[in-house]
Structures are given as C-alpha cells and as structure tokens.
Amino acid sequence: MLRYTLMRLGVFVGCLVVVWGAVYSGLAPRGLGDSNGLWVVLLALLISAPISFVVLRKERDRASIQVAQRVDRMKAGLDANRNQEDVADDAARAQGQTS
C-alpha cells in the first residue's frame, strides 16, 4: 500500500510541475488574484487522478489483494480466539455440572 501511495504522490508531483510550468509560461490561464497557487494545485489534482487511475491499475490491484489478505488473516485470528474462548467456556461448564 505504501508503494502505491508513493507512486500516486509521484504522479501528482509530476502533474504539479507540468501545470506550474504551463501556468507560468502562459499556456494555461492563471488563477484570479492571489489564488494562483490553489489553482495550480487543483488543476494538478484534476489531471493526476485519471492518469493514476489508468497508469497505476496493476499496482492498485496488487495493493487491494494485500489488504484483502490481511483482513482475512485478522478475521481468521479473531475466529480462532473466539473458538478458544468457547472451548474453555464449554470445558468450565462441563466441569461445573459434573461436580
């Protein structure tokens, strides 16, 4: 997941540099008043989202599989703990009934 996040951040930074260059060279419009920095960041976000969606598809799928496996392991661990508690409880009840 960290790898995907860093790759996504890299795509955003690349888009930010390209948009910043385009705005300051006059190829893209400037923001109104003092909002130029915000305009550049928002435009870079808007451009980087679909690029990341297409370019990082395999990495996103790999990360989602890892997250799903981790969740499954956690669920299995919780079920095992629950079963151990049930066995101990059943044993204690059985011992109490025979006394």
Side-chain angles (χ1 to χ4, degrees):
M1 197 65 187
L2 178 64
R3 181 177 172 176
Y4 172 73
T5 303
L6 291 175
M7 291 172 77
R8 176 75 173 91
L9 186 63
V11 170
F12 169 71
V13 169
C15 288
L16 185 67
V17 169
V18 169
V19 169
W20 180 81
V23 167
Y24 283 98
S25 67
L27 296 174
R30 291 183 179 263
L32 298 175
D34 293 333
S35 68
N36 198 41
L38 182 62
W39 166 251
V40 170
V41 170
L42 289 176
L43 193 56
L45 278 171
L46 186 68
I47 293 171
S48 70
I51 291 173
S52 294
F53 184 74
V54 173
V55 173
L56 301 179
R57 178 170 297 183
K58 288 181 184 178
E59 190 62 36
R60 185 176 54 251
D61 291 343
R62 188 176 307 138
S64 70
I65 289 170
Q66 289 176 351
V67 168
Q69 288 172 346
R70 186 175 300 148
V71 167
D72 290 341
R73 283 194 308 265
M74 291 176 75
K75 284 182 180 180
L78 289 173
D79 287 341
N81 287 341
R82 187 178 304 123
N83 290 339
Q84 286 177 350
E85 291 174 1
D86 290 345
V87 168
D89 187 45
D90 291 344
R93 288 178 191 215
Q95 186 179 18
Q97 288 178 354
T98 58
S99 298

